[in-house]
Amino acid sequence: MANWDISNAYVFTTFAFLILVCTPDLIFGQIRYSIPEEINEGAVVGNIAQDLGLNIQQLSSRRFRLTSDDGEQYMKVNLDNGILSIRKRIDRENVCGQTPTCTIHFKIILEKPLAVYPGEMEILDVNDNSPTFRESNIVLQISEAITPGVQFPLESAEDPDSGINTVAAYTLSSSEYFSIKTQRTEDDNILAKLLLDKPLDRERQTSFQLVLTATDGGTPQRSGTALILITVLDNNDNPPVFDHEIYRSSLRENTPVGTLVIKVKANDLDEGVNAELTYSFSKLTSPRIRELFSIDPDIGEIRTEGEVDFEEANSYSIDVQAVDHGSPAITGHSNVLIKVIDENDNAPEIKVTSGTSNFPENAPPGTLITLINVIDRDSGANGDIYCKISKNIPFNLQTSSKNHYELITSEPLDRESVPEYKINVIALDMGSPSLSSNKTIHIVLSDVNDNAPRFEKTSYNIYVMENNAPGVSIFAVTASDPDLGQNSYISYSILENLIHDFPISSYVNINSMNGSIYALGSFDYEQLKTFQIYIQARDAGVPPLSSRTTVNVIILDQNDNTPVIVSPSAKSGSASVEILPQSAGQGYLVTKIMATDADSGQNARLLYQLVKSTDPSLFNVGQSTGEIRTARNILMADTTTQTLVILVKDNGQPSLSSTVTIQITILENITERITESNNFVSSPENFSDLNLYLIVIFACTSVLFLVTILLLIGIKCKQEGNVTQQYNSPSCFCRRGESRDEFNRRSQMEETLRYPGTGRVVRVPEAHQYSVCLSPDSSKSEFLFLKPCAAPTPHPDAKL
Ligand SMILES: *[C@@H]1O[C@H](CO)[C@@H](O)[C@H](O)[C@H]1NC(C)=O
Ligand SMILES: *[C@@H]1O[C@H](CO)[C@@H](O)[C@H](O)[C@H]1NC(C)=O
């Protein structure tokens, strides 16, 4: 058991050392040694025999024993030489743990006599342990948002050694972001903390590998390392960023809904949800843009949602944003500029801005009627407008400024020819294809009193049978006025005029409303053959306009005068007396009856007829000449006083007549009687000579006269032909609505003309006129007759 063995040099050096530092401490017989830990087995600790003052022999004889308190035998004694050596390698950290001093207590027991020597062996620490970390990898996760200065406690390294041999310092591999801060605790431990020096940016460096070294203070120094693995946690610190600050795109207007306009794209440097993006329009985007466009939240495609109208806006600026899903979320912005391309999708619009639809017809050329404004909401050529109006109307379209026009009159207007206009205004744009629109402007001309009333003729000839009933309508004039309303309201009046010194208003009047002309009294042809009425028609315009016409009133003759016997003049109630010489032969002109008729024409053509005679065989009367001649020679047996009744009648219908009674006295001796006689008939001898001369002269002048008249009549007939005949047709002589019988009766009754208003009866004997009268009814042989005659036959249109 006590087998002390001094074997190698090492032991000696150790021993020597021990001797130097650990001298046996013999206090109360206690023995004490100091040895470093971990010395090899057999290393000599000391010579216990010497240290106890015993001789070697006593060791065996006194039954030397070595016991330890804890029963563990770390040492042995060589009983032959008393050397105490290490029996078992001693690990101080094993035996004593972390206590600062480590002492093993033992006892040396000797018998005979029993002696017990306590002993101590101090195990001195040797730096035999390196600091170690429990985990070789220290994993840390640090958010990039952590601010510099923040410390992260690190697990301490362990070193079972004690004193200076335990962990004394920590170092860190070089890093610009991190450093180590150590702190000594009260129990002399060192705590290490990782200090963040500089802000982290995951986007620059997502992880760090740092080497943490713990070193002890022993000699030689020992160290242990651990790897610090730092993962930088993402913080949503990066905004989404669009590819472009401004996206530009163009779009034709009216493109169908759903058309892709542009695709926007943003990137976020963060990771995970922090980099997941949602696209949208920014909050400030107008509702109208939201109606027109949509954005896909996931892929950023912008499409049309409605029809884009260039005329509404020619471009759109949309703020788009991309929002990541971090917390808090970060938003990135961009702008999309969409240019709208115009299409010719708008027809021009015509606006009639002002003006009257009603304006006077006398507006002079150049009068502004209305203003026209044309608008085309398209742009460029699509919005350039050409404007025109229908041709061949008296209007012009005049440009006043771009797209503003004035519609003006170009010519004088006349409501009476064109009362209204429908002007079609056409506007065309220059797009292709061109669009057009039109508008009709309705213009009604208002009337101006620019037309005087107009009679159908400037003059009228009317024929009125004399002896008409007073108050009868003899004619009606009508005037027309193409103006409107009051301007066309016509009133008629007769202009003052004197007829035979009496105002015309005493002969005729007129219905001012309708132009009917009335005779106020009866006309007498023998008194008044023709007169003129000047009629004025006047409208009610302001100022009024008027015009005139002339009515030539021609009064037609009626057979209302009985023949008047002028010669031989007979005292009323007695017969005229004529002397006839007995010697007068056959054909002797006894006398000539001369009669007049105030009428004219046939009404004044007189026929003579012998209605009663004492001896009808003795005398005859020239039917047309009124000459009374002897029919035979006078016989002695004939009664000397012959009485003749001669009827003078006119040719009117019915005819009127007068009679004359002639008493003829036949005398044997005529001479003395001739002188006393006042009769123009001379003595038969003289008479026959005179008669012969007269006849010859008369025949000559008659022939000359006949030739002249024939020539004149020939010319006149050629000129007037049928008209004359019409005039003389019997119906013309009648009053309107009067039968022929009534007419005849009236004719006989009315012998005088009573002038209206005066009440007096006028009877003006007609001057005897010998002229040639034309009878339309006469045959050629009856063409001429010599008699008192009325005025020449009036011609219907002749100015009298
Ligand atoms: C005027 O416009 C109408 C439709 O508004 C169209 O039917 C007509 O043909 C046009 N007239 C002209 C002359 O352009
Ligand atoms: C004119 O008016 C009067 C009275 O109203 C009437 O008797 C006459 O027939 C009218 N004349 C014409 C031509 O209408």
Side-chain angles (χ1 to χ4, degrees):
M1 293 200 289
N3 189 16
W4 302 83
D5 189 20
I6 302 164
S7 58
N8 55 48
Y10 176 74
V11 172
F12 282 106
T13 54
T14 309
F15 187 68
F17 168 75
L18 284 171
I19 297 302
L20 272 172
V21 292
C22 321
T23 18
D25 191 6
L26 300 173
I27 307 156
F28 306 111
Q30 184 162 358
I31 191 165
R32 181 185 170 88
Y33 297 95
S34 286
I35 58 159
E37 59 171 333
E38 304 272 340
I39 42 179
N40 292 330
E41 281 171 36
V44 175
V45 177
N47 191 319
I48 201 156
Q50 276 178 6
D51 295 341
L52 289 175
L54 300 171
N55 62 35
I56 305 295
Q57 291 77 33
Q58 287 186 314
L59 294 179
S60 302
S61 59
R62 292 185 71 182
R63 292 194 45 163
F64 180 92
R65 277 179 292 159
L66 188 68
T67 60
S68 95
D69 287 1
D70 57 356
E72 194 79 36
Q73 294 297 329
Y74 295 102
M75 294 166 294
K76 62 183 179 190
V77 173
N78 188 337
L79 294 178
D80 295 336
N81 53 13
I83 287 175
L84 182 69
S85 64
I86 298 298
R87 182 175 170 255
K88 190 179 166 189
R89 192 183 167 94
I90 303 168
D91 183 2
R92 181 186 175 279
E93 287 72 29
N94 242 345
V95 176
C96 301
Q98 290 289 314
T99 53
T101 56
C102 182
T103 307
I104 296 173
H105 297 275
F106 59 91
K107 286 185 180 86
I108 296 164
I109 303 168
L110 290 172
E111 290 175 17
K112 295 172 210 176
L114 179 64
V116 175
Y117 300 91
E120 268 181 5
M121 186 162 70
E122 187 186 8
I123 314 284
L124 298 173
D125 187 38
V126 167
N127 193 17
D128 57 348
N129 286 291
S130 296
T132 55
F133 291 95
R134 200 172 292 160
E135 305 272 349
S136 62
N137 290 335
I138 302 170
V139 176
L140 287 177
Q141 289 189 326
I142 302 176
S143 164
E144 59 178 330
I146 298 296
T147 49
V150 173
Q151 300 171 359
F152 302 91
L154 294 172
E155 191 188 347
S156 296
E158 289 174 353
D159 192 331
D161 295 330
S162 63
I164 58 164
N165 291 336
T166 76
V167 175
Y170 290 93
T171 55
L172 193 66
S173 58
S174 88
S175 160
E176 54 176 317
Y177 291 94
F178 295 100
S179 61
I180 280 288
K181 196 177 176 192
T182 53
Q183 192 184 355
R184 190 170 288 274
T185 60
E186 283 172 17
D187 54 350
D188 248 6
N189 283 330
I190 296 174
L191 294 179
K193 291 177 179 172
L194 189 66
L195 174 68
L196 179 65
D197 292 329
K198 200 176 154 183
L200 293 173
D201 184 1
R202 189 202 64 80
E203 288 72 33
R204 249 173 94 180
Q205 196 170 352
T206 55
S207 65
F208 295 87
Q209 284 198 358
L210 302 174
V211 179
L212 178 66
T213 307
T215 54
D216 59 23
T219 311
Q221 198 177 45
R222 303 183 76 118
S223 65
T225 59
L227 201 57
I228 304 179
L229 296 174
I230 300 171
T231 308
V232 182
L233 290 181
D234 185 45
N235 186 44
N236 192 20
D237 55 352
N238 280 284
V241 175
F242 281 94
D243 294 350
H244 301 282
E245 266 181 40
I246 295 178
Y247 291 86
R248 289 171 202 277
S249 177
S250 60
L251 182 69
R252 303 196 81 85
E253 62 173 328
N254 306 327
T255 45
V257 171
T259 303
L260 175 66
V261 181
I262 199 167
K263 182 177 176 178
V264 294
K265 172 124 181 58
N267 286 311
D268 192 319
L269 296 176
D270 295 326
E271 59 177 6
V273 292
N274 291 342
E276 280 174 17
L277 301 179
T278 298
Y279 298 95
S280 61
F281 294 144
S282 82
K283 282 198 194 90
L284 298 177
T285 307
S286 71
R288 182 60 186 149
I289 286 181
R290 289 178 196 278
E291 278 171 28
L292 291 176
F293 299 100
S294 64
I295 187 165
D296 185 305
D298 298 324
I299 56 178
E301 280 181 351
I302 296 178
R303 290 179 184 274
T304 55
E305 188 79 5
E307 282 204 351
V308 178
D309 185 3
F310 177 87
E311 287 68 38
E312 183 186 323
N314 54 19
S315 68
Y316 291 94
S317 169
I318 309 175
D319 284 325
V320 290
Q321 60 184 24
V323 184
D324 62 28
H325 297 175
S327 175
I330 303 185
T331 307
H333 296 274
S334 181
N335 184 264
V336 177
L337 219 85
I338 301 170
K339 211 178 144 203
V340 183
I341 299 168
D342 187 39
E343 299 261 287
N344 194 19
D345 58 346
N346 285 284
E349 256 176 73
I350 301 172
K351 286 188 177 166
V352 178
T353 49
S354 66
T356 57
S357 59
N358 218 322
F359 69 102
E361 56 176 324
N362 64 352
T367 301
L368 175 69
I369 295 158
T370 185
L371 294 174
I372 294 168
N373 184 13
V374 287
I375 300 164
D376 193 308
R377 298 174 64 225
D378 293 322
S379 67
N382 294 340
D384 281 347
I385 309 171
Y386 168 67
C387 204
K388 62 181 181 182
I389 54 170
S390 7
K391 289 200 172 73
N392 304 326
I393 51 171
F395 296 94
N396 263 347
L397 203 56
Q398 199 167 288
T399 315
S400 59
S401 63
K402 186 171 158 58
N403 293 345
H404 286 80
Y405 298 88
E406 290 169 351
L407 184 66
I408 56 167
T409 57
S410 61
E411 284 166 34
L413 304 171
D414 184 19
R415 190 202 64 80
E416 285 72 34
S417 41
V418 186
E420 58 180 27
Y421 290 92
K422 289 191 166 134
I423 303 173
N424 198 13
V425 182
I426 300 167
L428 290 155
D429 65 27
M430 300 293 158
S432 127
S434 154
L435 295 175
S436 76
S437 63
N438 63 66
K439 188 161 204 157
T440 301
I441 300 174
H442 192 180
I443 290 169
V444 179
L445 300 183
S446 61
D447 187 46
V448 167
N449 193 20
D450 55 354
N451 283 284
R454 203 161 43 221
F455 288 101
E456 284 151 19
K457 288 173 163 185
T458 51
S459 70
Y460 299 85
N461 289 332
I462 64 164
Y463 302 97
V464 180
M465 189 61 75
E466 63 174 330
N467 304 318
N468 55 293
V472 76
S473 165
I474 56 171
F475 193 56
V477 289
T478 309
S480 58
D481 190 321
D483 290 326
L484 270 188
Q486 190 166 304
N487 294 339
S488 69
Y489 182 83
I490 300 172
S491 65
Y492 301 91
S493 60
I494 293 176
L495 299 174
E496 228 16 276
N497 180 21
L498 285 182
I499 298 170
H500 290 184
D501 295 336
F502 292 101
I504 189 153
S505 54
S506 59
Y507 292 85
V508 286
N509 69 9
I510 191 163
N511 182 324
S512 68
M513 310 284 283
N514 63 13
S516 279
I517 301 169
Y518 300 94
L520 293 177
S522 261
F523 294 119
D524 180 6
Y525 173 82
E526 288 70 32
Q527 192 79 29
L528 180 65
K529 294 190 169 53
T530 178
F531 64 95
Q532 273 146 3
I533 311 172
Y534 301 109
I535 296 172
Q536 185 185 59
R538 201 165 99 136
D539 63 30
V542 181
L545 296 174
S546 63
S547 65
R548 291 179 181 189
T549 188
T550 307
V551 176
N552 295 312
V553 182
I554 297 149
I555 296 168
L556 298 178
D557 186 38
Q558 264 187 347
N559 193 19
D560 57 348
N561 288 285
T562 45
V564 175
I565 293 154
V566 182
S567 165
S569 60
K571 318 282 175 297
S572 60
S574 68
S576 80
V577 177
E578 298 294 336
I579 308 295
L580 177 67
Q582 193 160 21
S583 57
Q586 184 192 354
Y588 180 86
L589 176 68
V590 181
T591 185
K592 180 173 169 56
I593 297 166
M594 297 175 100
T596 61
D597 190 310
D599 295 322
S600 62
Q602 292 293 339
N603 294 339
R605 183 182 170 189
L606 300 181
L607 296 176
Y608 303 86
Q609 204 179 342
L610 186 60
V611 290
K612 199 173 158 195
S613 80
T614 315
D615 182 356
S617 66
L618 188 54
F619 298 101
N620 56 23
V621 174
Q623 194 187 17
S624 55
T625 59
E627 288 171 350
I628 302 168
R629 290 176 187 274
T630 51
R632 57 174 169 83
N633 289 338
I634 298 160
L635 305 176
M636 291 304 286
D638 293 331
T639 43
T640 54
T641 301
Q642 298 277 341
T643 302
L644 304 179
V645 177
I646 292 155
L647 178 80
V648 182
K649 65 171 186 181
D650 60 27
N651 206 21
Q653 286 286 342
S655 73
L656 299 174
S657 60
S658 311
T659 53
V660 63
T661 307
I662 299 174
Q663 199 165 26
I664 299 171
T665 308
I666 300 168
L667 294 179
E668 281 174 35
N669 188 356
I670 192 94
T671 39
E672 64 265 36
R673 290 301 300 259
I674 291 168
T675 48
E676 60 195 45
S677 166
N678 224 0
N679 200 327
F680 72 93
V681 181
S682 42
S683 66
E685 299 96 316
N686 292 344
F687 177 77
S688 52
D689 290 347
L690 182 70
N691 211 18
L692 190 69
Y693 287 127
L694 277 172
I695 287 168
V696 169
I697 291 165
F698 188 72
C700 286
T701 49
S702 292
V703 166
L704 271 172
F705 191 58
L706 174 71
V707 168
T708 318
I709 292 299
L710 269 176
L711 279 170
L712 283 172
I713 284 172
I715 291 163
K716 207 167 178 179
C717 284
K718 253 189 175 163
Q719 285 172 345
E720 288 156 13
N722 298 336
V723 189
T724 310
Q725 305 237 345
Q726 283 169 1
Y727 148 60
N728 270 336
S729 83
S731 62
C732 292
F733 290 78
C734 299
R735 287 176 189 167
R736 265 172 261 165
E738 185 179 51
S739 74
R740 192 168 186 97
D741 285 348
E742 286 168 340
F743 170 76
N744 291 341
R745 225 175 13 255
R746 182 170 49 81
S747 308
Q748 284 171 334
M749 277 158 37
E750 291 175 5
E751 288 188 298
T752 55
L753 169 68
R754 284 169 297 279
Y755 277 102
T758 60
R760 68 202 167 95
V761 176
V762 184
R763 187 88 177 104
V764 185
E766 192 75 19
H768 293 177
Q769 271 182 299
Y770 278 86
S771 64
V772 176
C773 295
L774 176 64
S775 166
D777 299 329
S778 306
S779 65
K780 272 198 178 123
S781 58
E782 293 174 330
F783 200 69
L784 278 173
F785 50 93
L786 188 63
K787 61 170 215 54
C789 187
T793 308
H795 183 270
D797 285 330
K799 292 249 180 202
L800 298 176

